[in-house]
């Protein structure tokens, strides 16, 4: 566990004395004495009240005593929060908090959660160490620093108090300021010792704080796992909502438009040959209904193509290539069907890539290849256009990158000026 102040002392043992680290360490230790004394008094008061009321009290008094003891148990939490801020005086890297943000719940539920966390008891242990051990060492250092400062300033003190008698050593008066120079030399030596002692004590304090207040590796790992699971759940919920919208449009609005088109067709047949002025309007309405139906079918296909569900990614991309205005060569060879989330993400990645190639690249040919390598789907979409594609210029590629990241995948775009443009997506199939 690397401590910044110890590293500076090791690398620059002589330069440390005249560096800015010395006053920072002194400020850290002196402020630690004040904080430690306040914490010690608070813990003693809460413990005394809690034990007294719990043992000799009755009724509400017992409840008050229990509340005081609970306050002792959780008192380390605000102390730890303050200390993480104070440590920034001497530690460039902030300590990671052992617990992340949580959903808002009732106060009693949050309290139960805090009491069950190991981090709460480590923070209480740190508060006790701060109030007793670290405060005691801080007081000893304060005494050394204060005495050294007074001895260093001895000639000035003798001059300022003259003609009053000043005794540095009991029973031996200092007659004039020059006679106090030896004491001043001792004081300077004491300040030198205080500089190194302050660095060592500060480093020890930081080491204790990092041992007790920072997040443990298992805690961080569990947070990462939970974050990954929550992202997967979010992706699944989003995909389920897409499927629901696609089903409602297919079974509802699309069927109604088909029925409307058929009804208008029958009306057109009835009016044909009668010379009615309504006949052209009915024909026009039927054409608009047919156009709306085509647009709706295109929209439904864009939400989630049925061929992807029924036949998998290669067939869906092949169908997509047939509708693309630029010729597309598809070479996707997969040994088996992939997880639904992977297939859907890969399909819309190819869709966005082909759309960009058709609209912006000026390409005459696009090639799509896909292989499964070591449990990861690797997709390459290459066009022979003029290049210069910038992922930061639009939301399309950024959105693809975000969508791939939900599954732990990556998106790489290579597009030098003059082309070709190559989009490479890698999606773990275990996501």
């Amino acid at each position: 566990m690397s401590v910044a102040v110890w590293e500076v002392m090791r690398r620059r043992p002589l330069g440390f004395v005249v560096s800015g680290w010395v006053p920072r360490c002194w400020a850290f230790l002196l402020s630690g004495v004040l904080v430690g004394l306040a914490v010690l008094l608070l813990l003693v008061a809460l413990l005394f009240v809690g034990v007294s009321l719990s043992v000799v009290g009755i009724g509400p008094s017992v409840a008050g005593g229990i509340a005081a003891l609970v306050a002792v148990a959780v008192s380390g939490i605000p102390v730890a929060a303050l200390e993480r801020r104070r440590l920034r005086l001497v530690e460039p890297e902030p300590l990671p908090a052992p617990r992340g943000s949580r959903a808002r719940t009732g106060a009693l539920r949050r309290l139960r959660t805090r009491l069950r966390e190991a981090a709460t008891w480590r923070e209480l242990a740190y508060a006790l160490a701060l109030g007793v051990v670290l405060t005691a060492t801080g007081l000893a250092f304060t005494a050394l620093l204060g005495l050294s400062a007074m001895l260093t300033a001895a000639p000035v003190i003798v001059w300022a108090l003259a003609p009053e008698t000043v005794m540095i050593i009991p029973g031996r008066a200092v007659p004039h300021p020059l006679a106090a120079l030896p004491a001043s030399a001792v004081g300077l030596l004491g300040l030198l010792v205080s500089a190194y002692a302050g660095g060592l004590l500060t480093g020890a304090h930081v080491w204790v704080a990092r041992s007790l207040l920072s997040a443990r590796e298992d805690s961080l790992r569990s947070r990462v796992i939970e974050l990954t699971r929550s992202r997967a759940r979010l992706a699944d919920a989003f995909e389920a909502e897409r499927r629901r919208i696609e089903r409602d449009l297919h079974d509802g609005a699309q069927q109604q438009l088909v029925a409307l088109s058929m009804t208008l067709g029958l009306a057109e047949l009835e009016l044909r040959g009668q010379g009615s002025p309504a006949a052209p309007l009915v024909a026009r309405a039927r054409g608009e209904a047919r156009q709306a139906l085509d647009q709706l079918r295109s929209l439904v296909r864009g939400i989630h193509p049925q061929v992807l569900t029924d036949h998998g990614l290669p067939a869906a991309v092949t169908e997509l290539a047939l509708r693309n205005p630029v010729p597309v060569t598809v070479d996707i060879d997969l040994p088996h069907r992939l997880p639904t989330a992977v297939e859907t993400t890969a399909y819309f990645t190819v869709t966005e890539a082909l759309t960009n190639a058709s609209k912006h690249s000026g390409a005459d040919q696009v090639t799509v290849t896909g292989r499964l390598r070591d449990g990861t789907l690797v997709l390459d979409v290459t066009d022979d256009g003029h290049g210069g594609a910038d992922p930061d210029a639009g939301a399309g590629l950024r959105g693809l990158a975000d969508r791939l990241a939900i599954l732990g995948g990556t998106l790489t775009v290579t597009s030098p000026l003059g082309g070709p443009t190559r989009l490479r997506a890698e999606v773990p199939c275990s996501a």
Side-chain angles (χ1 to χ4, degrees):
M1 185 183 296
S2 176
V3 177
V5 64
W6 284 351
E7 286 295 316
V8 174
M9 293 178 69
R10 182 180 64 83
R11 294 175 184 175
R12 300 169 51 202
L14 298 179
F16 175 78
V17 181
V18 294
S19 70
W21 280 93
V22 173
R24 288 162 61 185
C25 291
W26 289 357
F28 178 77
L29 291 173
L30 295 178
S31 63
V33 171
L34 299 177
V35 175
L37 287 174
V39 170
L40 181 60
L41 292 176
L42 177 64
L43 289 176
V44 169
L46 288 175
L47 190 60
F48 176 77
V49 171
V51 172
S52 299
L53 294 180
S54 299
V55 174
V56 302
I58 56 174
S61 298
V62 174
I66 295 175
L69 293 177
V70 172
V72 171
V74 298
S75 61
I77 297 176
V79 172
L82 173 62
E83 285 295 284
R84 289 188 190 95
R85 292 180 176 271
R86 205 169 63 85
L87 282 168
R88 296 303 302 273
L89 276 172
V90 291
E91 192 63 21
E93 293 295 328
L95 290 185
R99 56 178 71 84
S101 59
R102 298 179 182 272
R104 293 184 178 274
T105 56
L108 189 59
R109 185 174 180 180
R110 287 201 304 270
L111 179 61
R112 286 199 299 265
T113 301
R114 292 291 182 253
L115 291 176
R116 287 197 296 265
E117 292 175 335
T120 300
W121 301 103
R122 291 198 303 269
E123 289 168 338
L124 177 60
Y126 176 83
L128 292 173
L130 174 66
V132 180
V133 180
L134 300 178
T135 299
T137 56
L139 286 172
F141 172 78
T142 302
L144 172 63
L145 181 61
L147 179 60
S148 300
M150 291 179 62
L151 289 175
T152 302
V156 178
I157 295 174
V158 172
W159 173 79
L161 295 179
E164 297 291 334
T165 301
V166 177
M167 290 185 293
I168 298 175
I169 299 177
R172 298 180 62 180
V174 179
H176 51 79
L178 293 179
L181 288 178
S184 184
V186 173
L188 289 174
L189 179 61
L191 290 177
L192 181 64
V193 172
S194 298
Y196 287 106
L200 293 174
L201 286 176
T202 298
H205 196 145
V206 171
W207 186 87
V208 172
R210 292 177 65 174
S211 300
L212 295 176
L213 300 185
S214 61
R216 298 297 175 90
E217 184 178 350
D218 54 349
S219 175
L220 292 175
R221 187 182 300 112
S222 65
R223 275 194 235 169
V224 171
I225 293 173
E226 178 57 30
L227 178 60
T228 303
R229 289 174 177 171
S230 65
R231 292 197 311 179
R233 289 194 296 268
L234 182 62
D236 291 342
F238 176 72
E239 188 58 33
E241 184 66 13
R242 286 169 57 97
R243 296 287 188 90
R244 185 191 66 78
I245 295 173
E246 184 268 339
R247 185 175 59 252
D248 291 345
L249 290 176
H250 183 275
D251 297 339
Q254 183 171 296
Q255 298 303 321
Q256 291 177 359
L257 280 175
V258 170
L260 174 62
S261 181
M262 293 176 63
T263 302
L264 290 173
L266 293 175
E268 185 181 7
L269 289 176
E270 290 291 334
L271 295 174
R272 183 175 299 172
Q274 297 182 9
S276 172
L281 295 176
V282 172
R284 179 180 174 184
R286 185 186 179 196
E288 291 176 352
R290 187 183 299 111
Q291 183 180 3
L293 182 60
D294 292 339
Q295 292 177 352
L296 181 60
R297 283 171 176 168
S298 177
L299 175 63
V300 170
R301 190 184 299 113
I303 292 176
H304 190 88
Q306 190 63 35
V307 65
L308 180 63
T309 302
D310 295 340
H311 303 289
L313 183 63
V317 173
T318 300
E319 183 192 53
L320 185 65
L322 294 175
R323 300 196 311 269
N324 198 67
V326 178
V328 180
T329 301
V330 179
D331 179 18
I332 299 179
D333 185 11
L334 303 175
H336 51 75
R337 289 290 299 268
L338 304 180
T340 302
V342 175
E343 285 190 338
T344 304
T345 299
Y347 175 82
F348 286 106
T349 299
V350 175
T351 301
E352 181 68 24
L354 294 182
T355 301
N356 289 340
S358 302
K359 290 183 177 180
H360 309 298
S361 71
D364 296 321
Q365 180 68 36
V366 182
T367 302
V368 180
T369 62
R371 296 292 185 272
L372 193 62
R373 299 173 183 170
D374 299 327
T376 298
L377 174 63
V378 180
L379 280 174
D380 283 301
V381 182
T382 306
D383 67 63
D384 59 358
H386 51 65
D390 184 4
D392 296 327
L397 292 177
R398 285 202 304 270
L400 284 182
D402 293 339
R403 183 165 185 164
L404 287 166
I406 292 177
L407 300 179
T410 59
L411 179 70
T412 305
V413 179
T414 305
S415 184
L417 290 176
T421 296
R422 181 185 182 189
L423 183 147
R424 183 182 183 90
E426 299 184 11
V427 193
C429 293
S430 58

